[in-house]
Amino acid sequence: MQEKHKKMLLILGIIAFFANGDNYAAAPLLPDIARDLDISISQAAFSVTAYMASFGLFTIIFGPLGDRFGKSKIINIAAFGTAIFSTLAAFSFNLPSLIILRGINGAFAAGIFPVTMALIGETFSDEHRQNAIGKVMGMMFMGAASATALGGALAYLGNWRLVYGFYGIAELVTALIMIKVLVKSKGVVDELKYREVYGKAFGNKLLLKTVGTIFIIGFAIFGSFTYAGSYVEEQTGLNLLMVGVILSSFGAATVLGGRKASWFREKAKDKYFIFAGILGSISLLLLSISSSVFTLIIFLFGFGLSFVLLQSSMIMRAQQVMPQLKGTAMSLASFNMFVGGAVGTFTNGIILDATRMSNIFLLAGVIMFFVAFLTTRVVLKPL
């Protein structure tokens, strides 16, 4: 691998680290946000829904923009946007202002993850692509691992505003460095024709099945993880600092899975997706009845490992079924992942208001059981 490509992976990994941490930091913060703004936890979760929904919706715009004007340029613009609005969210004075600012933050963040995956897809050969994707996804979910612990620590020392301010400044510094380090890429299409590119995408039935499955995974995983911090606090009575440390088990598992996904696929072969889905199902079902710190850590780890094993492979599949327009394919993949997460977060808020919080993870566990078999049918089908 060339030195410039190593530097590119590093800087892409760093911005993914902070942007994803910006998202995941909300998990341990919801109780603090609710207390500070004098609202319920389910109302505080609307800010998460706003972030994920706008993230998903705006990926539809950014993917084709990356194909037209160059993916590195779009990533640069998106990095500056998410840095600015993450910082501004720290000054939110009520729920509507928090929802609006987090929504705009999510809109800009939409230009980082999918376009980054597409840039890697067009830069690296088949031999190196999965490892390159795994490394950046590992950094991305290391951001999730540190976000829960870091977010909990900062909220414990100050409050939730300090967390969003920290991520905004860190993203701004990274965006400035990125201008010089990121390898410049050219557009792969001559004109920006949304109707044409999405017409091709929606005409690809295998791509639609792939991103539809990603929607279900996003619903189950992101939709339930949003409430994991509140659930751990409820089950253990620990402070935000310790809640964040416990939740970091999920992120640590995604780091391991992101780096070792190809090893797991080699060992499990055709049973890979069954293994990953059942692991997630069992972990979530057992999480719904757990109350000790030890079991919560173990099942959060299994939850995170299942997610990254499934998600990294589904992203690879989306690129494979539409190789000429990777940016557009990644837009649809990210759209479904984050809109699925937003719908899941909203739905679970209703469940939380009507019944026990543990039922959120029970539902997610049941869904992941079916995902185990659904992913096998989608991915193992020949191109």
Side-chain angles (χ1 to χ4, degrees):
M1 187 183 300
Q2 297 180 19
E3 188 64 28
K4 65 178 181 179
H5 289 160
K6 290 180 180 179
K7 289 181 179 180
M8 183 183 80
L9 284 181
L10 177 60
I11 197 65
L12 289 175
I14 291 172
I15 192 62
F17 175 95
F18 287 121
N20 200 43
D22 193 353
N23 177 27
Y24 275 88
L29 300 182
L30 291 186
D32 195 33
I33 293 173
R35 285 189 290 266
D36 186 35
L37 299 181
D38 194 24
I39 55 179
S40 68
I41 289 176
S42 60
Q43 287 177 311
F46 284 140
S47 64
V48 180
T49 299
Y51 182 98
M52 289 187 179
S54 64
F55 188 112
L57 290 171
F58 275 83
T59 57
I60 297 298
I61 296 174
F62 279 113
L65 282 174
D67 286 334
R68 172 64 185 88
F69 296 106
K71 297 171 180 62
S72 56
K73 182 183 295 185
I74 298 303
I75 294 170
N76 280 328
I77 293 171
F80 277 105
T82 194
I84 292 168
F85 283 94
S86 182
T87 304
L88 290 176
F91 298 94
S92 301
F93 52 89
N94 57 18
L95 180 61
S97 64
L98 178 62
I99 289 174
I100 291 170
L101 291 170
R102 290 299 289 169
I104 299 174
N105 187 4
F108 277 104
I112 296 175
F113 175 71
V115 185
T116 290
M117 293 297 104
L119 178 60
I120 292 172
E122 80 175 19
T123 304
F124 291 86
S125 65
D126 292 342
E127 180 184 357
H128 299 291
R129 188 174 298 131
Q130 183 165 16
N131 283 339
I133 288 175
K135 286 179 181 179
V136 173
M137 287 194 73
M139 286 289 289
M140 178 181 175
F141 288 109
M142 190 182 293
S146 63
T148 52
L150 182 58
L154 290 173
Y156 180 72
L157 296 173
N159 59 30
W160 61 272
R161 300 176 188 277
L162 185 60
V163 178
Y164 288 140
F166 167 81
Y167 277 101
I169 293 171
E171 288 162 348
L172 180 60
V173 172
T174 305
L176 290 169
I177 297 172
M178 186 184 294
I179 293 175
K180 291 187 176 182
V181 174
L182 198 61
V183 175
K184 301 298 183 291
S185 64
K186 297 180 180 179
V188 295
V189 294
D190 296 328
E191 295 182 67
L192 188 62
K193 296 181 178 179
Y194 282 97
R195 180 178 296 180
E196 181 178 321
V197 294
Y198 280 112
K200 291 180 181 179
F202 282 100
N204 189 320
K205 292 182 179 179
L206 193 49
L207 176 63
L208 294 183
K209 290 179 181 179
T210 302
V211 299
T213 303
I214 290 173
F215 176 94
I216 298 172
I217 294 172
F219 181 100
I221 302 295
F222 284 174
S224 60
F225 186 74
T226 298
Y227 297 93
S230 300
Y231 180 68
V232 171
E233 183 182 53
E234 178 185 274
Q235 295 298 97
T236 64
L238 295 171
N239 58 45
L240 283 175
L241 174 61
M242 293 309 300
V243 168
V245 171
I246 292 171
L247 289 183
S248 68
S249 175
F250 176 95
T254 61
V255 174
L256 173 65
R259 292 181 175 274
K260 298 294 183 181
S262 58
W263 181 86
F264 277 104
R265 291 197 69 163
E266 182 181 340
K267 295 296 182 183
K269 299 188 184 328
D270 290 349
K271 300 296 189 296
Y272 174 86
F273 293 99
I274 297 291
F275 163 74
I278 295 297
L279 173 64
S281 178
I282 293 173
S283 297
L284 283 160
L285 292 173
L286 292 176
L287 188 65
S288 71
I289 58 173
S290 295
S291 58
S292 73
V293 171
F294 177 75
T295 55
L296 287 168
I297 290 173
I298 293 298
F299 299 136
L300 281 167
F301 187 90
F303 178 19
L305 182 59
S306 168
F307 168 62
V308 76
L309 291 180
L310 288 171
Q311 194 64 14
S312 62
S313 296
M314 296 305 290
I315 287 172
M316 285 282 293
R317 184 61 165 178
Q319 291 191 5
Q320 289 170 349
V321 300
M322 199 171 175
Q324 295 83 12
L325 293 171
K326 289 184 174 69
T328 302
M330 288 300 92
S331 283
L332 283 177
S334 293
F335 172 85
N336 280 273
M337 179 169 65
F338 280 89
V339 172
V343 173
T345 299
F346 177 78
T347 302
N348 287 330
I350 296 173
I351 292 174
L352 176 61
D353 289 339
T355 182
R356 296 179 301 174
M357 193 179 299
S358 59
N359 288 333
I360 290 173
F361 302 96
L362 179 64
L363 173 62
V366 172
I367 292 173
M368 290 301 291
F369 178 80
F370 291 102
V371 165
F373 301 95
L374 182 60
T375 50
T376 299
R377 292 180 61 85
V378 170
V379 178
L380 296 184
K381 186 175 180 179
L383 292 175

